[in-house]
Amino acid sequence: MDYQLEIKQIVDYPRCRIYREFVQSLMKDRSIRTSGCSYLFYYIVLCSYANFRSSYRRLDGITYLVEPGQWICTATELSEWFRTRFQHQAISILDTLEKQHYISYSKLGRGNLIKFSISGWKTSNTTLEYNYPCLKDVGFFFFPIAAAHELISLGKCSEMDIVLDLWLHTIYQDGQVQGSDKGPVVYFRNGTGNPLTNFSDLAQRWGISKSTVSRILNKLENRDYLSLISFPGRHGSVIYLNNYLSTMFQVSDVMIDKEEVSMAFHIPFHAPDSSLEITDSPIRDEQISVPSEDNSVSKPHMQAMVRKVAKVLATQGLPCCECSRTIYKLYPLSDCMEGHYRYSLEIICPDGWDGYHFELTLSPAKGQRKSRKTGCRTEGAADYQFSGGQANA
């Protein structure tokens, strides 16, 4: 039998799946700093070592029983995990997490061994009854989103805390979150469904300055952890995670295209003055047929818009938009009295192949100058915001 698989990471789910191998890779990446006081990274490291089932571990000639949600390690190992210079610094981190009721721990063997237990482990993760060794570099565990919000609020976040906070709040293919169909997008669950954010909000969330937010995000982008797409004005930025799908679902990652994302988020498009327009688009004016009604957007602006849309569709793999003989026809679906313009875009292949139909929505950006005659048409350079979707093909 043939099956069709649909992959989603939905916003309503109260827990996030985290792979142990991913945590191990973060621990080995020494370029990402861990100095901070939110303790998200430290807590997730402890969770990644917790057992799903009972097992035995022999240390210093003594065999210890480790139950689900627990683990036992040496103080040296703990210090290496947390990247602390001294062991007492790692113990201090455990004291803080215990004070916040996230863990409980005890010292064994005159303080050389640490046995810790994750509070509420059975609430988020399934525990198994039989005894068997639990590997620490394979498999995954579930982490509650509420715990991430609480730990982030404790104090200044480290770079590693920020990486994990972004990872825990990534959504993919959820209709409630705008732009999640384009790729795994970071959404902090503020109830709006819009993942657009700004450096001021991120600075307040992470307890750092805006300049530090900019530096860290640019650093993570250079290290291929994420794709940061910033839009002009006060529209803010949107963050897509790289290598998310391959890590979470073992499928190929998708390519994030800024122009395609702009359409999804209704980001303004600047239509330059036709007399000053310089374009490298291979599409000529005679290939574009636009309506000539008085109450529509001016013809030069619509031609510029079609070129922009064709560029986006070409990046999505539509071969007709790369052909220099393709014909583009626009048909109005509504008048300007509705406050926005809806057009049907027909892409016609000259070789007789099946064409494509798209629906475009176009509206003037705020503050645009209106014509005295119609109140709708703009003159010269103008800014619009547009969105689109495929009707049929």
PDB file of all heavy atoms in Angstrom, residues 60 243 301 384 390:
ATOM      1  N   ASP A  60      33.259   3.303  41.189  1.00  0.00           N
ATOM      2  CA  ASP A  60      34.159   3.111  42.341  1.00  0.00           C
ATOM      3  C   ASP A  60      33.907   1.780  43.037  1.00  0.00           C
ATOM      4  O   ASP A  60      33.930   1.673  44.275  1.00  0.00           O
ATOM      5  CB  ASP A  60      33.995   4.260  43.352  1.00  0.00           C
ATOM      6  CG  ASP A  60      34.367   5.611  42.756  1.00  0.00           C
ATOM      7  OD1 ASP A  60      35.189   5.632  41.825  1.00  0.00           O
ATOM      8  OD2 ASP A  60      33.837   6.629  43.237  1.00  0.00           O
ATOM      9  N   ASN A 243      18.413  23.199   9.519  1.00  0.00           N
ATOM     10  CA  ASN A 243      18.647  21.804   9.933  1.00  0.00           C
ATOM     11  C   ASN A 243      17.623  21.297  10.943  1.00  0.00           C
ATOM     12  O   ASN A 243      17.867  20.306  11.632  1.00  0.00           O
ATOM     13  CB  ASN A 243      20.057  21.649  10.516  1.00  0.00           C
ATOM     14  CG  ASN A 243      21.136  22.157   9.584  1.00  0.00           C
ATOM     15  OD1 ASN A 243      21.108  21.872   8.391  1.00  0.00           O
ATOM     16  ND2 ASN A 243      22.086  22.916  10.109  1.00  0.00           N
ATOM     17  N   HIS A 301       3.520  49.904 -11.996  1.00  0.00           N
ATOM     18  CA  HIS A 301       3.635  49.246 -10.703  1.00  0.00           C
ATOM     19  C   HIS A 301       3.206  47.783 -10.791  1.00  0.00           C
ATOM     20  O   HIS A 301       3.806  46.903 -10.175  1.00  0.00           O
ATOM     21  CB  HIS A 301       2.794  49.981  -9.659  1.00  0.00           C
ATOM     22  CG  HIS A 301       3.336  51.327  -9.310  1.00  0.00           C
ATOM     23  ND1 HIS A 301       2.646  52.239  -8.545  1.00  0.00           N
ATOM     24  CD2 HIS A 301       4.516  51.932  -9.643  1.00  0.00           C
ATOM     25  CE1 HIS A 301       3.383  53.332  -8.404  1.00  0.00           C
ATOM     26  NE2 HIS A 301       4.514  53.172  -9.071  1.00  0.00           N
ATOM     27  N   TYR A 384       3.584  48.994  -1.595  1.00  0.00           N
ATOM     28  CA  TYR A 384       2.407  48.152  -1.474  1.00  0.00           C
ATOM     29  C   TYR A 384       2.756  46.955  -0.601  1.00  0.00           C
ATOM     30  O   TYR A 384       3.928  46.602  -0.429  1.00  0.00           O
ATOM     31  CB  TYR A 384       1.951  47.637  -2.847  1.00  0.00           C
ATOM     32  CG  TYR A 384       1.573  48.720  -3.834  1.00  0.00           C
ATOM     33  CD1 TYR A 384       2.484  49.185  -4.777  1.00  0.00           C
ATOM     34  CD2 TYR A 384       0.297  49.276  -3.821  1.00  0.00           C
ATOM     35  CE1 TYR A 384       2.138  50.168  -5.686  1.00  0.00           C
ATOM     36  CE2 TYR A 384      -0.059  50.266  -4.719  1.00  0.00           C
ATOM     37  CZ  TYR A 384       0.872  50.702  -5.652  1.00  0.00           C
ATOM     38  OH  TYR A 384       0.525  51.672  -6.535  1.00  0.00           O
ATOM     39  N   GLN A 390      -1.772  29.896  -4.901  1.00  0.00           N
ATOM     40  CA  GLN A 390      -2.110  29.254  -6.145  1.00  0.00           C
ATOM     41  C   GLN A 390      -3.548  28.784  -6.117  1.00  0.00           C
ATOM     42  O   GLN A 390      -3.981  28.097  -5.198  1.00  0.00           O
ATOM     43  CB  GLN A 390      -1.182  28.055  -6.393  1.00  0.00           C
ATOM     44  CG  GLN A 390      -1.433  27.382  -7.730  1.00  0.00           C
ATOM     45  CD  GLN A 390      -0.384  26.351  -8.034  1.00  0.00           C
ATOM     46  OE1 GLN A 390       0.602  26.250  -7.339  1.00  0.00           O
ATOM     47  NE2 GLN A 390      -0.586  25.579  -9.086  1.00  0.00           N
TER      48      GLN A 390
END
